[in-house]
Amino acid sequence: MEQLSTRLLALSPSATLAMSQKSQELKAQGLDIINLSVGEPDFNTPDHIKEAAKQAIDNNFSFYTAVPGYLSLRQAISRKLKEENGVDFEPTQIVVGNGAKQEICNVILAIVEKGDEVIIPTPAWVSYFEMVKLAEGVNVPFLCNQEQDFKITAEQLESLITPKTKCLMLCSPSNPTGAIYSKEELAAIAQVLAKYPRIVVISDEIYEHISYTGEKLTSLASFPEMKDRVVIINGVSKAYAMTGWRIGFCAAPTYIAKAVTKLQGQYTSGCSSIAQKAAEAAYNGSQQCVEDMRVAFERRRDLIFDLVQQIPGFRLDKKPQGAFYVFPDVTALFGKQTPAGKTIANADDLAMYLLEEGHVAGVSGAAFGADECIRFSYATADDRITEAMARVKAAVEALK
Ligand code: PMP
Ligand code: GLU
């Protein structure tokens, strides 16, 4: 007899990781699968960061660390936040954990009470909804379509606020759409939120450096009226090609940082000492590697955008401004038949068809709260992107 909690049974598996797993399995069977499902840079971690980790081992950084992370790392993050984002967070307000993922979940668990509403402008990253469910909160998704550049307006936000609203999840640059909120758009949002002091904002800035607007990212935390209301989430996974090292952080009002530390102290403790020293080198070292990777992502963004335009039934009106995903609308293909006679009823069916017949893994938009779209990550080599889109085009053209 299986004995699982209702909390666990209500949870969906991560669609991004599931699709990636499926493509690994097909690869293991000898198929040439191009995996554009999971979002992770294809670059190796820069050498000076790897060197710092090797030194950390030799210098015996092998003991438990402080639960919120080494003070030296939190000092480096505090400086980064000041210099790059113009926000003041003391090291005591920063908690380092096993990826941005853990810190987002920690913050949600720390503040969301059973029945509290969390406003999530969608399309949004798959894990937000599940984390809210874990906390027994209520997801309040709001679909922002392509016509509004996938961004919520201040008026739309206000219309969703109720006495039960506890939190707003903002992600800019966005996974999966690449949308970036401008300073003006954030100012309007801050103005609305100023009327509702109970609402905490989680500002996920993990794609901060993967931006093609030519402008520095504006953080909602930098607006004076939002002081002590915004939790910044960031980490080294995307900017420094360090997804496997598992280092992310939250920078939060002191009471939230303390609560997150208490939670983390009971179920994971501080994260890997070696990875923390590597992250410290990432923040303190030269930032040229970040820019070099950004330039490569921008070239690939241009490449995949042009190729997507040539696929019948895919609609992507504007180039994404950041992150490394395209999220075209594919509704024009719904109702069509595969050569095997199966109907493509939705984005899940299309993603599965493209994987099985085209050998290209993407992720259905459904898990992002937008069933009309499909996501492809372009954090891969240019020639693989070209090959992948040729395969997708051929598979789509075979639909009747
Ligand atoms: N936020 C967003 C929007 C993401 O796409 C990801 C992807 N991994 C994360 C947070 C978590 O990143 P990590 O745990 O690797 O730091
Ligand atoms: N954030 C990445 C993605 O969306 C990595 C996988 C995950 O953690 O969801 O693909």
Side-chain angles (χ1 to χ4, degrees), residues 67-68 95 256-269:
V67 172
V95 185
I256 294 179
K258 274 190 181 161
V260 164
T261 304
K262 179 164 75 171
L263 187 60
Q264 195 161 293
Q266 289 291 18
Y267 85 113
T268 56
S269 290

Side-chain angles (χ1 to χ4, degrees), residues 56-77:
I57 295 174
D58 289 341
N59 292 334
N60 298 309
F61 282 90
S62 51
F63 301 92
Y64 285 135
T65 76
V67 172
Y70 284 127
L71 178 61
S72 53
L73 172 56
R74 285 179 288 128
Q75 282 167 336
I77 293 169

Side-chain angles (χ1 to χ4, degrees), residues 44-64:
N44 292 324
T45 301
D47 286 341
H48 68 283
I49 300 175
K50 292 196 283 199
E51 208 43 58
K54 290 176 198 167
Q55 277 177 25
I57 295 174
D58 289 341
N59 292 334
N60 298 309
F61 282 90
S62 51
F63 301 92
Y64 285 135

Side-chain angles (χ1 to χ4, degrees), residues 14-17 20 37-40 101 125-127 175-176 206-207 238 243 246 324-325 363 368 375 377:
S14 163
T16 49
L17 300 184
S20 190
S37 62
V38 74
E40 73 174 334
K101 202 175 218 171
W125 183 43
V126 297
S127 292
N175 172 8
I206 190 94
Y207 295 97
K238 316 288 170 171
T243 46
R246 308 308 303 128
F324 37 58
Y325 308 103
V363 187
F368 301 89
R375 189 190 82 172
S377 161

Side-chain angles (χ1 to χ4, degrees), residues 231-391:
V231 179
I232 292 182
I233 298 290
N234 209 330
V236 294
S237 285
K238 316 288 170 171
Y240 302 95
M242 292 177 70
T243 46
W245 297 79
R246 308 308 303 128
I247 296 286
F249 67 83
C250 67
T254 306
Y255 76 97
I256 294 179
K258 274 190 181 161
V260 164
T261 304
K262 179 164 75 171
L263 187 60
Q264 195 161 293
Q266 289 291 18
Y267 85 113
T268 56
S269 290
C271 53
S272 156
S273 52
I274 313 300
Q276 286 189 49
K277 292 312 272 183
E280 202 178 307
Y283 285 121
N284 287 337
S286 163
Q287 301 301 299
Q288 189 56 42
C289 55
V290 178
E291 174 59 11
D292 292 347
M293 289 188 267
R294 193 203 65 79
V295 168
F297 289 134
E298 183 162 5
R299 185 186 65 238
R300 294 164 177 183
R301 189 264 322 238
D302 292 346
L303 172 67
I304 200 166
F305 180 77
D306 288 345
L307 295 170
V308 162
Q309 301 307 314
Q310 294 161 30
I311 302 174
F314 276 36
R315 184 171 72 82
L316 185 64
D317 297 337
K318 290 189 193 152
K319 285 185 182 177
Q321 296 179 302
F324 37 58
Y325 308 103
V326 281
F327 199 61
D329 180 305
V330 291
T331 41
L333 302 175
F334 296 172
K336 294 203 180 243
Q337 300 261 309
T338 70
K342 195 173 171 289
T343 303
I344 301 287
N346 51 39
D348 286 357
D349 289 348
L350 183 67
M352 212 37 82
Y353 168 69
L354 293 178
L355 177 60
E356 284 166 0
E357 300 303 319
H359 295 169
V360 176
V363 187
S364 160
F368 301 89
D371 182 39
E372 62 281 8
C373 297
I374 186 166
R375 189 190 82 172
F376 295 106
S377 161
Y378 55 84
T380 195
D382 299 41
D383 58 338
R384 294 300 273 172
I385 292 173
T386 306
E387 168 68 16
M389 289 303 113
R391 290 186 193 180

